[in-house]
Amino acid sequence: MQWDKLLSVERQAERTDEKRISDKYTGISEFDNDYLSIVSSQAFRRLQDKTQVFLLDKSDFVRTRLTHSLEVSTVARQLAAMISQNLQKYQSEEMKKVLADNPNFTHNIGTIVACAGLLHDTGNPPYGHYGENVIRNWFSKQFANKDFKFRGVPIGEILTDQMKADFMFFEGNAQGLRIMSKSRHKEKSHDINLTYAVMNTLVKYPNPSNDFDRRNKDVKKHKNGYYYAEEDIMRKMCESTGTYADGEYVRHPLVYIMEAADDIAYSTADLEDAVVKRCFTIDEFIKFYTETADRIFDEKYNNFAKDYSGSDYEKIMKYKAIRDKMSFESRKFIKKDQARIDAWRKEREALFETDDEKKLLEKLQKGVDEWKRPFGQIASLRKNLYSQGYNRTPESDFVLFENWLTDTRQWLMNGAAFAFSKNYKDIMEGSYPKDLFAGTYVEDTISILKKTMAEYVYDSEELVEMELAAKQVVESLLRNFVEAVLYYLEPDQDEHMTVIDDRFIRKIPANFREDYKGAVEKLAGTDRDNDAEKLYLRLLMVTDYISGMTDSYASNLYKVINGIM
């Protein structure tokens, strides 16, 4: 891949020459215009009332999808600047040519990933990832239901496998691309019309819904990233950016930056929200972090020891036993016996006497220094927290925790920037199979932060109760609107549609109905002008509408439909 194509300013609908001339004289780039369009868009604005973690939360502190997306955008822009600096330092010869062709390279990649950060969650339905699961499960049951019919034939037998997979594996990432590609359906559309460089940076998983594998070693294969309906725009976009070659889609290099920014933002900010929501205390967090880091260390240490036998193995395990005692003693904030720690250090080093044993010790210590990095990160929080003594208050603890999260966020960014530069060649060849944390000194830390949320938050009673309520809302909306649209604008609609169906159709905003009409018009006269294609598009009209709803709007509409006052 080459940066001159990766930074493609081509769009679905070409902009006027007059506008391009004004950009030239104002110094505003095509990507800056994208950023403005996004901030002004309905899709972005709706994120203000969409769940991040805590469903329908009434607090004015915890994140929504909007505030989360702003944080991701900011982290992504800063990360891009760090990576650009690294590339110029470590890939200097290659970057000289890139900068000659793209003198605004740093600004442009920063703006592109900032745009992607703002947009990356626009495809998520109400109630977060749980809403995605509800949509998937509902359609899976319906397609297996022989009574779910269109003109007497089970719909599961009418649609192709790929069409059904788009709903059975409904994915916010694919839905986001769909939202951003709507402008192709209508002339002079008011839908957002992005450059292909920005659109491509949204596609974390360049796979159709019937060809992905969560167990694949290549992270890009873990989910689906586009629907059957967007096959044409996916191909055109990736050909423009150079991310489609030899019949295969690869990740745009800037996807790695956006993905890392998302991971950094939610793995730190969500912890902050969880403390405010009293899912766990900061002391409980330190305890869980330390115990998890201990387990990770033990696993890596034991894997190292497995390669040895006899006296070498015994010495390695004796070294660990002494180290464990040292670690326990060093974690004492009060009455730590430094003399004992120093004595143990000499004892473990004395285990390795010969030249070969000293080489083994050097290799072992190098590994230990790497495996214990997460402990160094938590040590600063523990020290600052417990140095307060009896002056500790919940407020002072939280301030220290916030400061620690800020430092940790920067540390994670440093690790991600390092990884991009280190793996630059593979990334540019489209062959890098991991995220930007894998194999770095921050990999274990971000893993522990994510495990903390899984341990204390995702299965909490509060979230379980709200998710059960969300299930009723989304399923009710799907049931009513899908039934209403089955025969919408079909020649025999009067034979099948009721007045009630008509009322539900009228509730669907005009822009979604116009999208459907525009898509159907493009089928006319082609081999795709058939019942399956149009029925598929009508079902998409429903998922477009429902997934675009805010949490509050979905809940209020559910109450109206079900007569709950």
Side-chain angles (χ1 to χ4, degrees):
M1 291 180 281
Q2 301 296 323
W3 283 111
D4 58 344
K5 288 182 68 67
L6 290 168
L7 302 181
S8 171
V9 296
E10 186 179 355
R11 301 173 186 269
Q12 296 173 91
E14 284 300 313
R15 302 168 72 222
T16 64
D17 290 339
E18 291 81 1
K19 182 61 179 174
R20 288 184 179 277
I21 290 171
S22 69
D23 292 349
K24 177 180 178 181
Y25 288 106
T26 61
I28 298 174
S29 73
E30 295 278 357
F31 308 123
D32 291 321
N33 277 313
D34 280 352
Y35 192 92
L36 177 59
S37 297
I38 293 165
V39 172
S40 304
S41 69
Q42 292 183 26
F44 177 67
R45 191 161 60 248
R46 287 194 185 102
L47 295 175
Q48 66 185 308
D49 189 26
K50 283 197 174 188
T51 292
Q52 171 60 12
V53 174
F54 298 99
L55 305 180
L56 298 173
D57 191 82
K58 301 304 180 184
S59 167
D60 61 358
F61 180 89
V62 300
R63 272 87 173 167
T64 64
R65 287 283 173 184
L66 182 71
T67 49
H68 164 71
S69 296
L70 289 168
E71 289 175 327
V72 173
S73 179
T74 303
V75 171
R77 190 188 290 274
Q78 293 179 354
L79 192 52
M82 295 165 63
I83 287 171
S84 178
Q85 185 178 46
N86 284 352
L87 291 179
Q88 292 177 52
K89 181 177 180 180
Y90 299 112
Q91 309 284 341
S92 56
E93 290 305 314
E94 183 175 348
M95 287 305 297
K96 282 181 182 178
K97 185 178 185 307
V98 171
L99 292 171
D101 296 336
N102 302 279
N104 296 319
F105 177 78
T106 301
H107 174 79
N108 285 340
I109 67 169
T111 306
I112 291 170
V113 295
C115 288
L118 293 180
L119 290 170
H120 80 286
D121 274 346
T122 50
N124 282 15
Y127 318 115
H129 294 301
Y130 188 75
E132 286 180 309
N133 287 321
V134 174
I135 293 173
R136 294 167 189 160
N137 293 337
W138 190 86
F139 275 106
S140 295
K141 290 178 181 178
Q142 293 306 309
F143 291 144
N145 179 7
K146 297 297 183 181
D147 293 326
F148 183 50
K149 297 180 178 180
F150 177 74
R151 297 200 179 112
V153 181
I155 291 176
E157 297 175 11
I158 296 175
L159 302 183
T160 68
D161 289 343
Q162 186 174 356
M163 290 176 181
K164 288 185 289 186
D166 287 349
F167 300 101
M168 295 166 64
F169 302 107
F170 177 89
E171 175 61 50
N173 292 284
Q175 186 65 25
L177 177 63
R178 177 166 170 75
I179 292 170
M180 295 308 121
S181 64
K182 288 293 188 74
S183 63
R184 75 191 192 280
H185 290 313
K186 303 186 292 292
E187 294 294 330
K188 297 181 180 179
S189 170
H190 286 287
D191 289 297
I192 191 168
N193 181 30
L194 299 172
T195 58
Y196 284 149
V198 170
M199 287 180 66
N200 206 173
T201 304
L202 284 170
V203 185
K204 293 169 64 176
Y205 309 100
N207 318 294
S209 56
N210 61 341
D211 185 20
F212 67 96
D213 180 5
R214 300 184 191 281
R215 296 168 296 180
N216 196 292
K217 292 181 179 180
D218 192 337
V219 67
K220 79 177 182 187
K221 297 291 291 183
H222 287 182
K223 295 181 181 181
N224 56 306
Y226 66 94
Y227 297 146
Y228 169 70
E230 278 67 62
E231 281 187 332
D232 60 337
I233 194 63
M234 181 72 181
R235 173 71 66 87
K236 188 174 182 181
M237 173 184 70
C238 292
E239 286 178 344
S240 175
T241 60
T243 57
Y244 177 77
D246 301 324
E248 181 182 2
Y249 294 114
V250 296
R251 273 185 161 188
H252 192 292
L254 298 183
V255 168
Y256 293 95
I257 300 177
M258 190 272 289
E259 181 182 46
D262 188 20
D263 284 347
I264 291 169
Y266 84 73
S267 65
T268 53
D270 288 357
L271 284 175
E272 189 177 17
D273 288 352
V275 170
V276 171
K277 293 289 293 181
R278 300 181 181 177
C279 296
F280 54 85
T281 67
I282 298 174
D283 290 294
E284 287 173 332
F285 168 73
I286 292 175
K287 183 175 183 292
F288 178 82
Y289 183 109
T290 304
E291 290 175 350
T292 306
D294 279 334
R295 287 194 294 273
I296 293 173
F297 180 92
D298 288 347
E299 181 181 354
K300 291 185 175 182
Y301 195 101
N302 291 335
N303 285 337
F304 177 90
K306 285 178 183 177
D307 293 335
Y308 297 88
S309 60
S311 62
D312 284 345
Y313 178 82
E314 292 176 2
K315 290 178 183 293
I316 291 170
M317 299 312 293
K318 178 65 175 176
Y319 180 102
K320 184 176 184 302
I322 296 173
R323 184 199 170 277
D324 288 346
K325 290 188 290 185
M326 293 171 61
S327 178
F328 179 80
E329 185 67 28
S330 65
R331 290 175 188 173
K332 293 180 181 179
F333 186 74
I334 301 174
K335 297 182 179 179
K336 178 172 65 176
D337 191 336
Q338 187 60 47
R340 178 179 292 184
I341 293 174
D342 293 339
W344 279 328
R345 182 176 290 107
K346 291 179 180 179
E347 180 183 350
R348 73 180 187 185
E349 291 176 358
L351 292 170
F352 302 85
E353 299 175 332
T354 68
D355 290 342
D356 287 342
E357 288 175 345
K358 288 179 180 179
K359 289 180 181 179
L360 173 58
L361 174 61
E362 183 179 350
K363 186 176 180 181
L364 176 59
Q365 287 178 327
K366 183 178 180 181
V368 168
D369 288 342
E370 177 184 331
W371 307 328
K372 71 180 184 181
R373 285 183 183 273
F375 297 110
Q377 194 63 23
I378 197 65
S380 62
L381 176 60
R382 184 190 298 111
K383 178 181 178 181
N384 291 334
L385 198 69
Y386 300 147
S387 64
Q388 298 177 96
Y390 295 108
N391 295 320
R392 283 183 63 184
T393 65
E395 292 76 16
S396 64
D397 282 3
F398 187 66
V399 169
L400 291 174
F401 187 57
E402 284 185 307
N403 291 337
W404 181 80
L405 287 172
T406 298
D407 292 340
T408 300
R409 190 177 297 119
Q410 185 62 55
W411 194 56
L412 296 174
M413 289 171 66
N414 292 341
F418 165 78
F420 193 99
S421 302
K422 179 183 178 182
N423 299 289
Y424 181 72
K425 182 175 181 293
D426 290 341
I427 288 172
M428 293 300 290
E429 290 177 352
S431 60
Y432 184 64
K434 303 175 182 179
D435 61 36
L436 292 185
F437 303 107
T440 69
Y441 56 86
V442 300
E443 179 181 20
D444 292 336
T445 296
I446 198 165
S447 173
I448 295 170
L449 298 183
K450 292 179 180 180
K451 287 178 180 178
T452 305
M453 292 296 293
E455 175 72 16
Y456 290 100
V457 179
Y458 297 143
D459 293 328
S460 66
E461 184 177 353
E462 178 185 3
L463 253 64
V464 169
E465 289 179 353
M466 287 189 287
E467 286 174 347
L468 291 175
K471 178 177 182 293
Q472 297 300 317
V473 173
V474 176
E475 287 187 344
S476 175
L477 296 176
L478 285 168
R479 184 169 57 253
N480 284 285
F481 282 99
V482 165
E483 182 179 348
V485 304
L486 288 181
Y487 294 90
Y488 175 59
L489 295 185
E490 285 294 292
D492 56 347
Q493 69 172 1
D494 292 341
E495 300 175 27
H496 299 280
M497 288 182 64
T498 67
V499 173
I500 297 173
D501 293 333
D502 179 70
R503 293 298 180 266
F504 276 103
I505 292 291
R506 289 177 183 275
K507 193 63 181 173
I508 298 175
N511 61 302
F512 291 103
R513 286 180 273 145
E514 289 301 315
D515 289 338
Y516 169 72
K517 292 175 185 177
V520 168
E521 287 174 3
K522 292 193 174 183
L523 297 180
T526 72
D527 58 0
R528 294 175 62 171
D529 188 0
N530 54 57
D531 283 348
E533 293 273 353
K534 287 183 281 190
L535 179 58
Y536 165 73
L537 290 172
R538 290 196 293 277
L539 295 180
L540 279 180
M541 178 169 60
V542 173
T543 52
D544 286 349
Y545 175 42
I546 293 177
S547 66
M549 293 179 182
T550 65
D551 293 6
S552 296
Y553 182 87
S555 296
N556 291 335
L557 184 57
Y558 167 81
K559 292 176 182 178
V560 170
I561 290 172
N562 291 280
I564 301 173
M565 303 299 179

